[in-house]
């Protein structure tokens, strides 16, 4: 890994190794964990917004977990 970083540079290595995708997944997971298991808002309108945020985070997980498929013609 250190040789690859030295040869490619840190920016290219991160792109080549998929480091950014892992970092995005870890960030999304920490956001979800910080929200806890229960809704914290008391107002029904804010509860709806909180649920929508949770759904957006889960959709991010799904997008990050999907493999990139390449179809050959």
């Amino acid at each position: 890994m250190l040789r690859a970083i030295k040869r490619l540079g840190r920016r290219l290595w991160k792109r080549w190794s998929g480091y950014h995708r892992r970092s995005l997944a870890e960030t999304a997971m920490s956001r979800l964990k910080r929200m806890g298991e229960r809704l914290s808002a008391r107002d029904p309108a804010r509860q709806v917004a909180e649920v929508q945020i949770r759904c957006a985070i889960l959709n991010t997980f799904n997008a990050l977990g999907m493999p990139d498929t390449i179809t050959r013609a």
Side-chain angles (χ1 to χ4, degrees):
M1 179 173 34
L2 293 175
R3 277 187 236 139
I5 292 172
K6 190 174 184 179
R7 188 171 292 165
L8 298 173
R10 189 171 299 271
R11 179 179 287 178
L12 280 176
W13 172 79
K14 285 182 179 182
R15 203 172 289 173
W16 173 75
S17 67
Y19 183 84
H20 291 297
R21 290 183 64 85
R22 190 180 109 224
S23 177
L24 290 173
E26 288 176 1
T27 301
M29 189 66 188
S30 70
R31 285 181 194 149
L32 188 62
K33 284 183 175 181
R34 270 189 258 139
M35 294 180 88
E37 294 182 12
R38 299 181 182 187
L39 295 176
S40 60
R42 293 184 181 184
D43 182 38
R46 291 183 182 186
Q47 286 179 348
V48 169
E50 190 173 337
V51 169
Q52 288 174 340
I53 290 169
R54 289 173 189 253
C55 289
I57 292 171
L58 290 174
N59 287 337
T60 302
F61 283 152
N62 286 338
L64 291 171
M66 289 291 185
D68 295 330
T69 56
I70 300 172
T71 57
R72 295 184 184 189

